[in-house]
Amino acid sequence: MHNPGNATPDRFPAQDRFADGAQYIAGRLTKGTSGHTHTVVDPATGEDVLTYELAGPDDVDAAVAAARAAFPGWAGATPGERSDALHRFAAVLAERAEEFARAESLQCGKPLKLTREFDVPGTVDNASFFAGAARHLQGQSAGEYSADHTSYVRREPIGVVGSIAPWNYPLQMAAWKVLPAIAAGNTIVLKPAEITPFTSLMFAQAATVAGVPDGVINVVSGTGREAGERLVAHPDVAMTSFTGSTGVGKRVAEVATATVKRLHLELGGKAPFLVFDDADLDAAVHGAVAGALINTGQDCTAATRAYVQRPLYEAFVEKTAALMDTVRVGDPFAPGTDLGPLVSHVQRDRVAGFVDRARSYARVVTGGEAPQGDLVDGAYYRPTLIADAAQDSEAVQAEIFGPVLVVLPFDGDDEGIRLANDTPYGLAASAWSRDVYRANRATREIKAGCVWINDHIPIISEMPHGGYRASGFGKDMSAYSFEEYTQVKHVMFDNTAVAAKDWHRTVFGDR
């Protein structure tokens, strides 16, 4: 389905930027040594953008060695010194905002208004937040918890972190992985998805420009099977952080367990969108369309299952379908585009397969097809609304990861909350109601790491992101994620200066 050619230079000049290679090790771009190449494709046009040499095990080893060599100096820097470097890093990211936005739009197919107003500003804000957090590496205050001793707690960096990031938010995921790790004094090797390496490489380059020492941030662009497994299994990697599907997360956990690594997993989601009968219907409809279609639905927190109390059900279906039909699908770089393509033709065809199978057991209200005409060569798919599916059906239970929303009715509040919890996942959810008691009950009883009330999707650097159950464990963003990348040490001082202590008699001698 690909059309060989060069992406127009006004999109992003990838061939010029990565002429020296798509690996970033010890402060410079290099070529991968696996003997294999990968071609990044513009999902909006099907055109080849850049062919690069993939990382192999030797590149991973070199990146880990660089991170290990940089660790003592970076870990030994004062919190203020790390904070200053991260403040400079945030400033460089802000200066290069448009370049980052265009690179992200090219490799992912995101509309420019999304990368300009969400991905890039969010990343700059994350950098600013962790610049401040670097000065607050605190343990429990000192005290005499034993009458004869003073105790205190130190939080120390773990060592070399090996992180694997997904293709749906390459820039933001690079930030979520790298920033808390290095703010805490660790060094890192990041493996982005091989189909979307550009902004991860640019992120590491920006850190170097900001004065972050060489080797603190390294990027290996390779496949999960070759580069990813080597990174997770590497004996000099002390912690693995992975964001991706639950299935792959299980494999990561299996490999990491062999070397007893610290593990952080942010996995799949199937977020419920629970609309009670007293909700503001128009607000819920707008929230559902925005929450389902952000990033063309390729978001683990996207609204995927709308449960609507029966009095509002038919109106919700009708209004949501009508609003979806107004969404402008088109070239990510064209003014006025609301929805770009999926990240690849493979992903588009996967989403289409879910919808096509759903026709046998549910009603496709709108969408359900790839647009033709000028968009035929891209990985586009129209916003799709599916109604009347059974709770145990594939469309309701499986993570589709595309611009598809499934709507089901419910009757009582108990049933609505039960259905919301009735998947293996627990990453995010929302509830819509004007009744504070009803809404508060939903926040208590819905099993998810984030529950929004009368909104869906917004995230902020100060608050944690992470899931329950099959959605993994550990937190990104916030001070909670900062703690993920530290280990706790208890220090205890004797205050008595007595050689023969009373407790020694429990081992030898008498009182």
Side-chain angles (χ1 to χ4, degrees):
M1 202 116 200
H2 300 163
N3 299 321
N6 296 322
T8 52
D10 62 332
R11 294 168 96 82
F12 176 75
Q15 292 184 3
D16 295 336
R17 284 299 305 270
F18 304 113
D20 293 331
Q23 319 301 325
Y24 196 74
I25 299 171
R28 67 185 185 93
L29 287 172
T30 63
K31 297 183 185 296
T33 63
S34 70
H36 304 288
T37 61
H38 179 80
T39 299
V40 177
V41 175
D42 180 349
T45 64
E47 293 181 345
D48 294 349
V49 174
L50 175 74
T51 298
Y52 70 91
E53 296 81 2
L54 287 161
D58 289 346
D59 303 300
V60 174
D61 290 350
V64 172
R68 186 178 182 188
F71 176 70
W74 185 248
T78 66
E81 288 168 338
R82 291 198 294 267
S83 175
D84 288 347
L86 287 170
H87 278 299
R88 295 193 301 270
F89 189 11
V92 174
L93 293 172
E95 290 168 4
R96 300 182 176 188
E98 180 64 13
E99 183 181 33
F100 275 102
R102 301 186 81 82
E104 196 80 332
S105 289
L106 175 63
Q107 67 181 355
C108 300
K110 300 169 184 274
L112 267 178
K113 68 176 180 178
L114 180 65
T115 56
R116 284 171 171 165
E117 298 177 30
F118 184 76
D119 298 66
V120 175
T123 300
V124 174
D125 189 68
N126 280 177
S128 296
F129 172 81
F130 281 108
R135 289 181 176 268
H136 296 281
L137 190 62
Q138 296 176 343
Q140 192 172 3
S141 60
E144 285 67 49
Y145 299 95
S146 154
D148 294 337
H149 304 84
T150 296
S151 289
Y152 67 88
V153 170
R154 292 175 55 91
R155 282 198 171 272
E156 298 179 344
I158 296 167
V160 177
V161 177
S163 290
I164 299 176
W167 46 255
N168 59 333
Y169 288 100
L171 177 59
Q172 286 198 312
M173 292 299 100
W176 288 13
K177 299 299 184 194
V178 170
L179 293 169
I182 68 170
N186 302 284
T187 57
I188 191 166
V189 178
L190 173 70
K191 192 201 87 64
E194 67 272 19
I195 65 173
T196 55
F198 297 162
T199 48
S200 297
L201 293 163
M202 293 164 60
F203 187 78
Q205 289 177 306
T208 299
V209 171
V212 175
D214 292 349
V216 172
I217 303 172
N218 307 274
V219 178
V220 289
S221 305
T223 65
R225 185 175 298 276
E226 192 163 11
E229 291 223 3
R230 177 60 180 166
L231 182 59
V232 175
H234 202 291
D236 291 334
V237 170
M239 175 180 174
T240 292
S241 176
F242 171 79
T243 297
S245 71
T246 298
V248 177
K250 291 178 181 178
R251 175 61 182 162
V252 169
E254 179 184 349
V255 175
T257 299
T259 49
V260 198
K261 288 176 168 46
R262 174 81 68 91
L263 191 58
H264 170 240
L265 299 174
E266 197 265 271
L267 306 177
K270 189 71 177 177
F273 187 98
L274 188 59
V275 182
F276 293 105
D277 58 11
D278 67 332
D280 181 327
L281 179 60
D282 287 339
V285 167
H286 281 80
V289 172
L293 300 185
I294 186 171
N295 202 34
T296 319
Q298 299 165 126
D299 187 311
C300 49
T301 63
T304 59
R305 301 177 287 138
Y307 297 100
V308 183
Q309 204 151 17
R310 205 169 294 275
L312 297 183
Y313 179 73
E314 292 298 339
F316 180 90
V317 170
E318 179 182 350
K319 286 176 173 285
T320 300
L323 187 56
M324 278 189 171
D325 288 342
T326 70
V327 172
R328 298 164 294 183
V329 180
D331 186 329
F333 288 82
T337 291
D338 296 321
L339 195 75
L342 287 103
V343 75
S344 68
H345 292 85
V346 170
Q347 181 65 13
R348 192 273 308 278
D349 293 346
R350 178 181 179 275
V351 171
F354 276 104
V355 177
D356 290 344
R357 291 189 295 274
R359 298 181 197 278
S360 66
Y361 58 79
R363 174 167 55 106
V364 178
V365 182
T366 191
E369 62 183 3
Q372 300 300 304
D374 293 342
L375 304 181
V376 70
D377 290 330
Y380 294 93
Y381 200 76
R382 293 195 183 283
T384 300
L385 184 67
I386 297 174
D388 306 333
Q391 174 65 16
D392 62 356
S393 64
E394 179 188 53
V396 175
Q397 292 293 320
E399 189 173 28
I400 298 173
F401 226 57
V404 180
L405 177 64
V406 184
V407 188
L408 296 83
F410 72 93
D411 292 306
D413 291 16
D414 291 349
E415 181 189 18
I417 291 174
R418 178 181 62 78
L419 292 171
N421 286 329
D422 185 27
T423 72
Y425 302 104
L427 185 58
S430 64
W432 299 72
S433 173
R434 291 184 172 99
D435 185 328
V436 65
Y437 298 102
R438 207 176 204 181
N440 199 28
R441 179 191 176 188
T443 67
R444 293 194 310 271
E445 297 186 15
I446 292 176
K447 305 305 180 187
C450 174
V451 181
W452 293 283
I453 298 298
N454 296 326
D455 208 344
H456 196 106
I457 286 295
I459 54 175
I460 50 175
S461 297
E462 291 84 357
M463 289 292 113
H465 174 86
Y468 289 15
R469 302 188 294 173
S471 291
F473 50 83
K475 300 298 180 185
D476 290 313
M477 298 195 297
S478 80
Y480 293 96
S481 77
F482 194 41
E483 293 175 1
E484 297 278 336
Y485 293 92
T486 63
Q487 49 196 356
V488 173
K489 176 184 288 183
H490 171 215
V491 178
M492 198 172 200
F493 280 87
D494 170 58
N495 293 331
T496 66
V498 173
K501 295 180 171 56
D502 186 55
W503 73 267
H504 293 174
R505 67 186 174 82
T506 62
V507 183
F508 62 89
D510 299 318
R511 188 184 295 252

